[in-house]
Each structure stands twice: as structure tokens, then as C-alpha cells.
Amino acid sequence: MSAHTPESTPAAEPKRVAVLAPGGVGGLLAGALARDGRAVTVVATEPTAAHIAQHGLRVDSAVLGDFRVDVPAVPAATEPADVVVVAPKATALEGALERVPPHLAEGALVLPLLNGFEHMGLLRSRYPGAHVLGAAIRVESTRTEPGRIAQTSPFADLDIAYSGAPPERVEGLAAALRSAGLGVRLSDDEHAVLWRKFQFLLATALVCTHNRSDIGTARTERRDDLVGVADEVAAVSAVGGPVLDTGRVVAMFEAAPARTKPSMLRDLEAGRPMEVDALGGALLRAAERVGVAVPVVERLVADLRRLDPAG
């Protein structure tokens, strides 16, 4: 339970939200918040921004239903926002950040919904005057074409850490997301928020992509690798960080819809750059810093790097 007491200070819900990179995750949040009456602007590449400005956002969602909503869309932010949702793939993060100048994020809550954990340092360096929140989202959502989002999982849930930001503002953001139909849990432990998701994500991303299969097939054919990656993440995390429950993650492997595919596998199938370095490479670097052996991750990452268009 959070040490904060929401009853003592009224939650301050955001008035203006900017969503950087309206792909599967960013587009879902932008559409949901805009449908709920929030002032949302999406910031995207020039072609995507032009398409959304003309045609709006179309969301087909297992959780929120199917809807279309008009949303202002620009290739570069020109106005400040109370909340900046940062949702590109890690492979496109540095270029995407050029579209939101630091002065427009001054004092804002920055909500990063990327995979992994190394992006936190980059965002805090880029936006020193903002409150960058540790956050993770559990959802299967894909951009099928510019401005069109297919959200297929029976869940769309966020974990958000206070990360030193004003509690009433974090709680206001959570209230706005819940009002839009998304699940939200708040936490005082940023590291736990990031690493608990990372344990499940890294295992499924590496093993499903290496096996070129959905999670249902991977948990039958490659169970030892799934558990091995989860164990190695837990071993690295335990050195000065949160103690992770591998049994919980194994239960998540079993409970996941069999046809679930991680975004890394979808990228491989589409010939797009994969987040091998942002995910697997991040674990290897963290393991080296703390002196923990991670042979399963090393093997899978080495193989996947040979397949990655990103090099």
C-alpha cells in the first residue's frame, strides 16, 4: 500500500496531455483519454501526424470497445502540457524526443511507457525540469496502420510510481486514466515497478522471438528457457534492488492467452528493428555491473542480435 494518503490532498487531474508516438500503446492512451473528454494532443512523425489530424484515431479494443475520436496531431510540440506520455519503441526514442523540447515539459509529469529500464536516465537528462515517473503497462496493443490501434489483450493495466513527484498530481493522473477505462496501480517503489514487468517481458520477448512462436507454444517447447531468463533477471535485481518472485512470473506465463505475441516477435516478423539491445543488452550490462552470470540471456541475445535489422 502506498505511504501517501490521497484523502489529505485532493487529486489534481491533468488539463493538457501530450502523447509522443501514438503507436500501439501511445495511440491507445491518446484515444482513451480523448474519448473521456481530456485535452489530448499527439506528437508524431509528419506523415502520421497529418493522417491523424485529418482522419482521427481509430481504436479497436478488447477492453474499451471500438471507437473513433478526433485528436489534434502535430509533428512537433508547440505548447506545454501537464502530462507528457512517452511511448515510442526504444529504437526510436532519441529521435522522438526531439519533437518535445525540454522547456515545454518544464514541471510536467513525464509518463514513459517503454520496455526496459535504461530509458529513465535518458529522460531525466533530457527533461531535468520535469517529474519523470517510473511506469509500466501490461497490454497487447499494436498500430496496424497510422492512426489505427488494435488492442487485443483482455487487460490494459498500468503500474505507476510516485518517483518523487507531487502525490496529488500522480493521483490525478491515475484518476484520469481510470476514468478513461484503464487499470492503474500506484507504488512508492520505482525499481519494483520497472523490474517486475521487465522479468516477465524479457523472458517472453527473448524466448518467443527466438522460437518464432506465440507464448502458448513457447511455454510448451521452451519452458526451461522462459524460467531461466526469469531466474537470471531475479538474480540481477536482487543485488541492491527489489527481490522478484519468479513463481509469480511463471504463473503469468501459464495464464497468458496462448496466442499472445511480444512486440519483439512482431517486429521480427515485420522486418523492423528489434529492441534486443534495449531489453537483452540492458540485462547484460546490469549483470556485468553487479557480477552476476546470465548464460541463458547471453545465448539468446547473441542469436537474436544476428537477426536484428537494427544491427
Side-chain angles (χ1 to χ4, degrees):
M1 181 176 293
S2 169
H4 300 284
T5 54
E7 296 79 11
S8 61
T9 305
E13 296 192 14
K15 295 186 172 82
R16 297 164 296 178
V17 179
V19 176
L20 176 60
V25 169
L28 177 67
L29 264 67
L33 289 167
R35 183 178 67 163
D36 198 45
R38 308 287 168 179
V40 177
T41 299
V42 299
V43 183
T45 62
E46 286 80 355
T48 296
H51 182 90
I52 293 173
Q54 182 175 359
H55 301 288
L57 270 172
R58 172 74 191 184
V59 177
D60 301 318
S61 170
V63 172
L64 305 176
D66 300 344
F67 61 93
R68 179 195 168 280
V69 64
D70 289 318
V71 181
V74 294
T78 58
E79 297 180 347
D82 301 311
V83 172
V84 180
V85 178
V86 180
K89 292 287 183 70
T91 51
L93 176 59
E94 293 199 34
L97 293 179
E98 296 299 319
R99 301 181 184 280
V100 181
H103 72 276
L104 294 181
E106 189 77 19
L109 299 180
V110 174
L111 181 69
L113 296 175
L114 291 90
N115 296 327
F117 53 84
E118 290 185 328
H119 57 272
M120 296 296 293
L122 174 61
L123 288 170
R124 285 175 173 150
S125 174
R126 169 72 175 170
Y127 300 117
H131 305 285
V132 179
L133 307 177
I137 186 167
R138 190 168 68 97
V139 70
E140 187 173 10
S141 188
T142 305
R143 187 189 87 154
T144 57
E145 60 185 71
R148 183 149 195 166
I149 310 301
Q151 188 269 308
T152 54
S153 56
F155 47 79
D157 301 319
L158 295 93
D159 287 287
I160 301 174
Y162 285 92
S163 298
E168 67 278 6
R169 293 187 59 198
V170 179
E171 288 150 11
L173 171 59
L177 292 167
R178 289 175 184 137
S179 177
L182 303 165
V184 182
R185 293 183 300 186
L186 296 178
S187 172
D188 288 308
D189 192 338
E190 175 179 298
H191 293 289
V193 165
L194 296 172
W195 279 80
R196 283 174 184 153
K197 178 184 177 181
F198 185 68
Q199 187 183 26
F200 175 83
L201 176 71
L202 186 66
T204 53
L206 294 184
V207 177
C208 290
T209 306
H210 194 270
N211 204 50
R212 301 199 183 204
S213 71
D214 57 32
I215 193 170
T217 305
R219 68 190 175 209
T220 299
E221 298 179 353
R222 302 284 294 276
R223 183 181 178 85
D224 287 349
D225 278 346
L226 283 168
V227 176
V229 174
D231 279 337
E232 290 178 0
V233 173
V236 174
S237 173
V239 182
V243 175
L244 303 179
D245 181 0
T246 297
R248 177 190 68 89
V249 172
V250 171
M252 291 173 66
F253 296 153
E254 299 298 338
R259 294 184 180 179
T260 299
K261 288 185 176 182
S263 60
M264 187 184 291
L265 175 56
R266 294 187 184 278
D267 288 339
L268 175 64
E269 291 173 340
R272 295 187 293 260
M274 297 188 292
E275 295 180 308
V276 177
D277 187 69
L279 299 181
L283 194 278
L284 295 180
R285 289 185 284 274
E288 184 176 11
R289 286 194 296 271
V290 299
V292 172
V294 288
V296 180
V297 173
E298 285 182 353
R299 169 172 53 85
L300 296 173
V301 168
D303 287 348
L304 289 173
R305 276 179 169 157
R306 288 191 283 269
L307 299 175
D308 190 356

